[in-house]
């Protein structure tokens, strides 16, 4: 109840209806992926999503733009990788107080297997926001832009391409919901990010509220009530492999 009251104070609360369930063998693809290209331009990107994974400590492909970038978990670590660079452009691990040798995001007390957690990653920011709490990155090679962008490659949800597994496709086992992709002219600020995540109780990304004032920058929003894009950009999803389940 306290979370509900807090959400109503800060903005319109997202009402939970559907989620997408993946069994480790399937994914969705977006009908049009030009808006999701990271390249040499003036744009910054942010990606938010809710996850309930069977095992954060395993190898889990969350989403990818084929031949360009991936978000995935590997051995309990969170990765954003740039395929054209053949390196992990960003990675995060460690406990909430900072990196502790041997700890990962899965073992450091940040996430729990079989429970819902929200992640918000920004390409311009050296860290991630998990359940409304900002965490500084530990390790990785630092962020950068892809030199050879590919605007025609597909966006996939439910799989990634792991640099740690010889660039093979990897899939997720669990549920995903409330996937939002922002394309911004300037970097998303801490205040904007934390206002949206709202301590884990997400507000509607399509409506400005308080410090969250970048609703017009949303290029895709998937609530998984169905496969439609709730933004105005019509990046409708279709089944790519096998048969993911909407629940």
């Amino acid at each position: 109840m306290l979370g509900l009251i807090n959400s109503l104070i800060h903005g319109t609360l997202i009402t939970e209806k559907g989620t997408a369930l993946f069994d480790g063998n399937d994914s969705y693809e977006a009908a049009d992926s030009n808006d999701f290209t990271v390249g040499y331009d003036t744009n910054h990107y942010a990606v938010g999503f809710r996850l309930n994974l069977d095992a954060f400590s395993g190898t889990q492909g969350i989403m990818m733009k084929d031949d360009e970038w991936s978000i995935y978990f590997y051995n309990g670590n969170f990765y954003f990788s740039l395929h054209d660079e053949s390196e992990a452009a960003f990675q995060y691990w460690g406990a909430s107080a900072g990196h502790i040798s041997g700890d990962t995001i899965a073992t450091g007390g940040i996430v729990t297997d079989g429970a819902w957690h929200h992640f918000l990653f920004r390409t311009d920011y050296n860290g991630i926001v998990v359940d409304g709490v900002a965490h500084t990155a530990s390790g990785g090679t630092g962020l950068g832009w892809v030199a050879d962008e590919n605007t025609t490659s597909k966006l996939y949800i439910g799989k990634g391409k792991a640099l740690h597994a010889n660039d093979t496709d990897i899939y997720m086992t669990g549920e995903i919901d409330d996937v939002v992709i922002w394309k911004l002219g300037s970097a998303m600020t801490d205040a904007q990010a934390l206002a949206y995540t709202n301590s884990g109780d997400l507000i509607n990304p399509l409506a400005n509220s308080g410090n969250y004032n970048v609703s017009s920058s949303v290029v895709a929003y998937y609530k998984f009530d169905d496969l439609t894009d709730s933004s105005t950009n019509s990046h409708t999803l279709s089944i790519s492999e096998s048969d993911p389940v909407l629940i």
Side-chain angles (χ1 to χ4, degrees):
M1 178 61 72
L2 180 59
L4 176 60
I5 293 172
N6 187 44
S7 297
L8 292 175
I9 290 173
H10 287 86
T12 304
L13 180 67
I14 289 177
T15 302
E16 190 63 50
K17 291 183 179 180
T19 66
L21 176 65
F22 297 90
D23 64 4
N25 297 290
D26 44 36
S27 67
Y28 291 115
E29 67 178 51
D32 176 20
S33 300
N34 288 351
D35 277 338
F36 313 131
T37 293
V38 177
Y40 280 126
D41 54 29
T42 59
N43 296 308
H44 298 265
Y45 290 80
V47 181
F49 48 88
R50 295 176 63 238
L51 283 179
N52 181 355
L53 296 183
D54 291 0
F56 280 93
S57 58
T59 300
Q60 301 272 8
I62 308 306
M63 68 183 72
M64 63 181 277
K65 192 168 188 300
D66 201 15
D67 299 326
E68 194 168 330
W69 56 264
S70 285
I71 293 175
Y72 63 97
F73 288 87
Y74 182 78
N75 287 342
N77 296 323
F78 176 100
Y79 288 90
F80 172 80
S81 67
L82 300 173
H83 299 166
D84 291 343
E85 296 291 330
S86 297
E87 64 182 16
F90 169 90
Q91 71 182 73
Y92 176 85
W93 68 84
S96 56
H99 173 58
I100 300 174
S101 180
D103 273 342
T104 68
I105 196 170
T107 63
I110 297 173
V111 296
T112 303
D113 292 346
W116 283 101
H117 297 281
H118 182 263
F119 295 82
L120 196 155
F121 169 74
R122 296 168 279 169
T123 57
D124 54 284
Y125 177 73
N126 198 28
I128 55 176
V129 178
V130 183
D131 296 333
V133 178
H135 299 272
T136 302
S138 299
T141 58
L143 296 175
W145 297 116
V146 179
D148 183 18
E149 62 183 77
N150 184 347
T151 60
T152 60
S153 62
K154 293 289 188 179
L155 174 79
Y156 294 92
I157 296 176
K159 77 172 180 178
K161 191 181 292 290
L163 297 172
H164 304 82
N166 298 317
D167 282 342
T168 57
D169 290 343
I170 55 174
Y171 296 84
M172 66 173 283
T173 302
E175 295 174 76
I176 193 169
D177 199 10
D178 296 318
V179 174
V180 185
I181 300 177
W182 293 265
K183 183 177 183 179
L184 306 123
S186 58
M188 179 182 281
T189 66
D190 288 347
Q192 291 167 337
L194 294 174
Y196 167 67
T197 57
N198 195 21
S199 300
D201 290 327
L202 308 182
I203 65 172
N204 180 1
L206 302 178
N208 288 341
S209 178
N211 286 326
Y212 178 78
N213 56 6
V214 290
S215 62
S216 62
S217 298
V218 173
V219 292
Y221 175 29
Y222 301 112
K223 298 188 290 185
F224 292 106
D225 302 338
D226 51 34
L227 298 181
T228 60
D229 173 9
S230 294
S231 79
T232 60
N233 298 299
S234 301
H235 297 297
T236 304
L237 297 173
S238 60
I239 293 173
S240 176
E241 290 120 337
S242 187
D243 190 7
V245 178
L246 295 180
I247 58 175

